[in-house]
Amino acid sequence: MNFKKKTMKINIFKKSTTVLCSALLALSITSCKDDFLDEELTNQYSTEYFETAQGLEDLTVSLYGNIRWHFGYEWAYGLTLYGTDEFTNANDLTNEMWNTYDNRLGPVGATPETGAANGNATSPAALWDQMYYGIASANTIIANAEVIEDEGIRNRCLAHAHFLRGYNYYRLAAQYGGVVLQLEPAEGVVRNFERATDEETWEQVISDFRDAYTYFEGEVYTYGKGVTWTKATAAHFLAKALLFRASERNDAWNAEYIQGDLTEAIDAATYAIDARGALTDDYRDLYANWTGVDSEAEQLDEILMAAPHNADASTSGRFGNRTYNYFTPQFSNFSGGWVRRGVWIGGMDFQRLRPTEYTYAVFDHVNDSRMWKTFKTVYGVNNVINTDVDVELGDPGIVMILNTKDDDTYNDFTFGANIQNPDWRDVEGRLPEWEEGMRQTPTSGSLTSNPGQFVPNSLVLYQNGQYVSPDFKSTPVSNFFAGINKTDDGSRFAEKGDAHRDVTMARLAETYLVRAECYARLQQYGNAMNDLNTVRARAAWKAGENRSYYIDGSVAFENNSLNTGSAAENYVNSNLNMNTYYLSNPDIEVTTAASDLSLTSFPDNLPDEDEAVLTALGISGSYERALHFILNERTREHLGEWQRWETLSRTGTLIQRARAFNPQATNITENKHELRPIPQSFIDGLLNEDGSNLSPDRRAEWQNPGY
């Protein structure tokens, strides 16, 4: 595939007035103290202030505000997770076109007038515009850094500026390919631009990350607790950028770079791994065991980059953290009222992202703890609506059984036309035994079963070897599925209030997977297997673990000022701290033994769940097997972590895997959808030298193939 674009020059008006002001107005500018999130916000500075030493320090701190944008609205998932093998549409269709790739996904964007479900659909211009705001601020710091006399402070500012500029151009290049490279502060209303080639754009991304890596003073934290960019952060993204340039999407021109890029990427990844040390011991502690603002889950050495948030409304800026809305099923609707939503449950039931069959099946359901520490499968009854059945507050109200294709336990169960109230009393499956006042804990609680218990709502994935999960649906598509818990937040002050938790953007487990992929591309499969086994060792059950135990960020409600009265009761009744591990694996006896996920051969003799995926894709050959195994491992480790579309586009596997595993990605097209459309609003703003509009042919030259 050849996506290399020619460099195009547009000559237009001379520059006269500054555009930096508009960029800065989009940022939350703070004073430079220990934690910038705790400081008073102001956007009253003049552009001249940012030519002073103190102004540049303040502007450097403000760069952290630019990354919050990524998680402030519907684009968080539309740009990064839709249209891939992992997630498809649920019943809300706000960003449906980003998943189906239909003609509404175009340069203009979709509105209700052009077929969008509502006015919240993500525009292709969203990322383009916002990234250039951050780039403008970084350019100001880089251009004026010499006014900072203290070398240490100057280098610190340069490190942050080069990092954010590199990161923002990385995001642009990953989505659009070659883009406009604006590397100096702009003066005036700039309407003459060059579009760089893919090759030139990636060279700039890599150059900025190299500079950031050089300027950073090791693992020195300067601008905030638990969220600060360091030398390891720059090393991680330098490795990612080098790997991107060496990957399949750039096959038309990258041959001369591959060997050197992979070698340098390995060195950069190795620095990050050595600098930050071992992975966090328990996968649950990365996301599920989030107990409140600035809790231990946000201070882990494994976290290399996070979008910072807290509970101070004065620092939230234009975009807060809305990510808790997007992964949860519509439990308050399909439960028939048995489970009401509220701040005591960590996620809103906006039903945007429904896992695909692949996403459930790619896990080892028995031995991989990540599955049961990620999917929420049990909700408790917090509202009894029918006293004629034997259900009380705090009983299981929604039970999602994630069984496997070869399981025949539930073959004879008839769900009937009304699936809201199936009666499990005739089923010889196992439901968690429930006694008044009993709760699961990490090491204790009921692990046995009570097959006679009635549950108002229940779901299985498979019957008679058929994937039946989508049959549990309302109009137009399924809204009954197991959501993931990586964004749940019980600290919210209102049901629809912004979340207060940081959003992890990079962590050390991915660094291992990046390095493993580099090794695999160099056919050093033994080294690749060692890195993969490091990640998988953490994923295995440890001796003594209660496999029925579950927790998510709802637990932060325990420290919420709203945790009084009926809200406190709703919290206890809704969050039962249990999963459906034993229901989903009915042949497994209760155990607290350790499990083993280690690979003994790579890329041959892969686990059964991986061989099934490779067979479905028609994959053969050592390198292809290795690459697709690593993509599978990325799902298991990084499900929902805002980078799947980019990863599949980079590796040239987006079309193949979306077609195989996303039944709604029906319009995805080769040599088109591996890139996003350049925003038409930007192209239409370009002028010829005489001030006239570009001709249709010249506008078309700016657009990506197929649009």
Side-chain angles (χ1 to χ4, degrees):
M1 295 175 288
N2 185 355
F3 300 109
K4 185 175 180 180
K5 298 287 290 186
K6 295 180 180 179
T7 299
M8 293 164 286
K9 298 184 178 180
I10 303 294
N11 298 310
I12 55 173
F13 296 131
K14 292 289 185 180
K15 297 166 279 189
S16 58
T17 58
T18 182
V19 296
L20 181 59
C21 291
S22 63
L24 295 178
L25 288 175
L27 300 175
S28 297
I29 310 301
T30 69
S31 299
C32 180
K33 295 186 179 179
D34 290 340
D35 189 345
F36 75 94
L37 293 177
D38 293 333
E39 303 308 312
E40 181 180 359
L41 299 179
T42 175
N43 57 14
Q44 301 304 311
Y45 297 124
S46 67
T47 55
E48 289 77 13
Y49 178 68
F50 299 113
E51 296 174 2
T52 68
Q54 185 60 51
L56 290 172
E57 284 191 70
D58 290 341
L59 186 56
T60 299
V61 177
S62 80
L63 297 180
Y64 283 89
N66 187 235
I67 63 175
R68 282 178 165 180
W69 173 89
H70 295 284
F71 309 105
Y73 212 56
E74 305 279 346
W75 50 71
Y77 67 90
L79 293 167
T80 61
L81 300 176
Y82 260 0
T84 69
D85 50 0
E86 292 180 347
F87 291 102
T88 190
N89 296 115
N91 204 31
D92 181 277
L93 302 178
T94 295
N95 271 322
E96 180 185 24
M97 67 292 297
W98 291 86
N99 185 57
T100 61
Y101 297 95
D102 61 51
N103 58 13
R104 294 172 297 171
L105 180 60
V108 176
T111 65
E113 291 73 26
T114 59
N118 53 57
N120 297 326
T122 297
S123 166
L127 182 74
W128 182 279
D129 293 345
Q130 197 68 28
M131 293 303 91
Y132 281 108
Y133 286 141
I135 288 166
S137 295
N139 285 341
T140 297
I141 296 167
I142 294 168
N144 296 290
E146 289 303 315
V147 305
I148 304 175
E149 295 182 0
D150 186 299
E151 182 180 10
I153 296 175
R154 181 171 65 248
N155 288 347
R156 185 183 308 154
C157 292
L158 284 169
H160 281 76
H162 278 290
F163 177 78
L164 183 74
R165 190 170 74 176
Y167 178 78
N168 283 9
Y169 274 126
Y170 177 98
R171 291 297 304 269
L172 288 167
Q175 292 275 328
Y176 303 103
V179 296
V180 174
L181 296 178
Q182 181 68 35
L183 304 177
E184 297 178 356
E187 298 177 3
V189 179
V190 182
R191 305 283 291 275
N192 61 322
F193 295 106
E194 297 179 6
R195 183 179 180 185
T197 64
D198 292 10
E199 184 174 359
E200 291 165 342
T201 303
W202 283 111
E203 179 58 37
Q204 182 58 47
V205 172
I206 291 166
S207 174
D208 272 325
F209 284 144
R210 283 173 176 157
D211 286 342
Y213 180 78
T214 299
Y215 282 120
F216 273 123
E217 308 167 50
E219 300 312 289
V220 177
Y221 295 85
T222 54
Y223 292 133
K225 182 172 63 174
V227 299
T228 306
W229 311 331
T230 69
K231 195 178 191 75
T233 315
H236 172 86
F237 280 98
L238 174 58
K240 287 190 67 172
L242 290 161
L243 177 57
F244 207 125
R245 183 164 69 175
S247 293
E248 285 78 2
R249 203 177 85 179
N250 298 321
D251 277 351
W253 54 266
N254 67 2
E256 66 178 285
Y257 299 103
I258 293 175
Q259 185 73 31
D261 282 358
L262 295 176
T263 300
E264 184 181 357
I266 289 170
D267 290 342
T270 299
Y271 171 82
I273 290 168
D274 292 345
R276 287 302 180 93
L279 300 178
T280 300
D281 288 340
D282 190 340
Y283 189 81
R284 179 182 285 118
D285 290 340
L286 289 166
Y287 296 103
N289 195 21
W290 186 79
T291 57
V293 177
D294 293 334
S295 60
E296 291 183 8
E298 295 184 354
Q299 318 306 323
L300 300 171
D301 286 341
E302 181 171 339
I303 299 174
L304 297 168
M305 182 179 181
H309 294 273
N310 63 20
D312 185 351
S314 68
T315 68
S316 62
R318 182 182 177 191
F319 299 110
N321 179 356
R322 309 287 177 84
T323 59
Y324 68 93
N325 290 310
Y326 303 134
F327 295 102
T328 308
Q330 198 179 29
F331 60 85
S332 65
N333 181 302
F334 65 67
S335 74
W338 291 90
V339 182
R340 297 176 300 175
R341 71 186 187 188
V343 289
W344 51 82
I345 296 179
M348 284 286 287
D349 56 352
F350 279 19
Q351 52 167 341
R352 300 296 199 265
L353 291 153
R354 178 164 58 97
T356 62
E357 180 183 6
Y358 155 82
T359 299
Y360 298 122
V362 77
F363 286 91
D364 180 331
H365 288 217
V366 174
N367 297 305
D368 197 330
S369 74
R370 292 173 297 192
M371 181 172 196
W372 302 102
K373 295 172 181 178
T374 298
F375 287 105
K376 183 166 187 171
T377 57
V378 176
Y379 293 78
V381 171
N382 57 35
N383 183 41
V384 174
I385 64 167
N386 185 351
T387 58
D388 293 333
V389 296
D390 187 18
V391 176
E392 300 179 0
L393 293 174
D395 283 351
I398 301 172
V399 172
M400 303 182 184
I401 298 174
L402 309 185
N403 62 334
T404 56
K405 190 172 186 177
D406 59 356
D407 174 48
D408 59 5
T409 305
Y410 307 103
N411 287 354
D412 296 330
F413 180 71
T414 302
F415 293 94
N418 179 5
I419 57 89
Q420 289 188 349
N421 294 287
D423 189 338
W424 284 89
R425 285 173 289 189
D426 297 327
V427 181
E428 294 180 358
R430 294 190 284 183
L431 280 171
E433 184 179 89
W434 192 250
E435 297 176 7
E436 185 176 357
M438 183 179 292
R439 292 290 184 272
Q440 294 278 352
T441 73
T443 56
S444 66
S446 176
L447 296 176
T448 57
S449 61
N450 177 6
Q453 184 169 351
F454 172 84
V455 176
N457 301 269
S458 51
L459 162 78
V460 297
L461 295 184
Y462 290 95
Q463 288 183 301
N464 299 296
Q466 299 298 311
Y467 184 61
V468 297
S469 176
D471 297 338
F472 297 77
K473 63 185 179 181
S474 62
T475 302
V477 293
S478 177
N479 66 349
F480 195 174
F481 54 87
I484 69 172
N485 63 14
K486 292 182 177 181
T487 61
D488 287 353
D489 185 345
S491 74
R492 305 190 323 276
F493 299 138
E495 186 177 48
K496 296 183 180 180
D498 286 333
H500 303 136
R501 64 184 297 174
D502 294 351
V503 182
T504 299
M505 301 175 73
R507 55 187 178 85
L508 205 59
E510 187 196 6
T511 318
Y512 275 102
L513 296 181
V514 166
R515 191 170 71 172
E517 186 178 334
C518 291
Y519 281 135
R521 289 175 180 272
L522 293 171
Q523 299 184 28
Q524 298 178 26
Y525 295 119
N527 288 335
M529 184 173 73
N530 290 338
D531 280 345
L532 291 166
N533 277 338
T534 298
V535 175
R536 289 171 67 81
R538 196 255 303 274
W541 294 106
K542 307 302 184 293
E545 279 197 89
N546 177 355
R547 300 187 186 186
S548 284
Y549 178 68
Y550 171 86
I551 194 173
D552 61 39
S554 300
V555 70
F557 191 73
E558 293 181 358
N559 300 314
N560 193 321
S561 60
L562 301 177
N563 186 17
T564 61
S566 61
E569 295 176 3
N570 279 325
Y571 167 70
V572 173
N573 291 328
S574 304
N575 299 282
L576 308 186
N577 298 125
M578 59 169 55
N579 61 41
T580 61
Y581 177 87
Y582 289 104
L583 279 171
S584 303
N585 298 296
D587 295 330
I588 301 298
E589 296 298 324
V590 174
T591 179
T592 56
S595 63
D596 185 5
L597 290 174
S598 60
L599 304 171
T600 58
S601 176
F602 183 76
D604 301 320
N605 302 316
L606 298 174
D608 290 345
E609 57 272 13
D610 291 283
E611 293 290 359
V613 170
L614 270 58
T615 297
L617 292 169
I619 297 301
S620 62
S622 294
Y623 167 68
E624 291 294 326
R625 286 174 58 83
L627 175 64
H628 282 273
F629 177 86
I630 292 169
L631 294 175
N632 293 348
E633 194 64 32
R634 277 181 169 271
T635 294
R636 293 183 284 255
E637 181 68 25
H638 296 293
L639 180 64
E641 295 182 28
W642 320 109
Q643 54 181 307
R644 187 61 171 183
W645 187 92
E646 163 200 310
T647 300
L648 297 187
S649 176
R650 170 180 66 80
T651 55
T653 60
L654 176 64
I655 308 293
Q656 178 186 25
R657 292 180 73 106
R659 282 179 173 168
F661 302 128
N662 187 337
Q664 291 179 293
T666 52
N667 297 287
I668 194 168
T669 304
E670 293 96 337
N671 299 316
K672 177 180 180 180
H673 288 128
E674 299 92 337
L675 297 175
R676 304 302 198 184
I678 302 297
Q680 194 64 42
S681 56
F682 169 78
I683 296 176
D684 289 345
L686 298 171
L687 299 176
N688 293 310
E689 188 173 0
D690 61 2
S692 61
N693 292 325
L694 300 186
S695 68
D697 287 344
R698 297 200 72 190
R699 287 199 298 268
E701 289 176 0
W702 272 85
Q703 190 52 262
N704 277 329
Y707 294 103

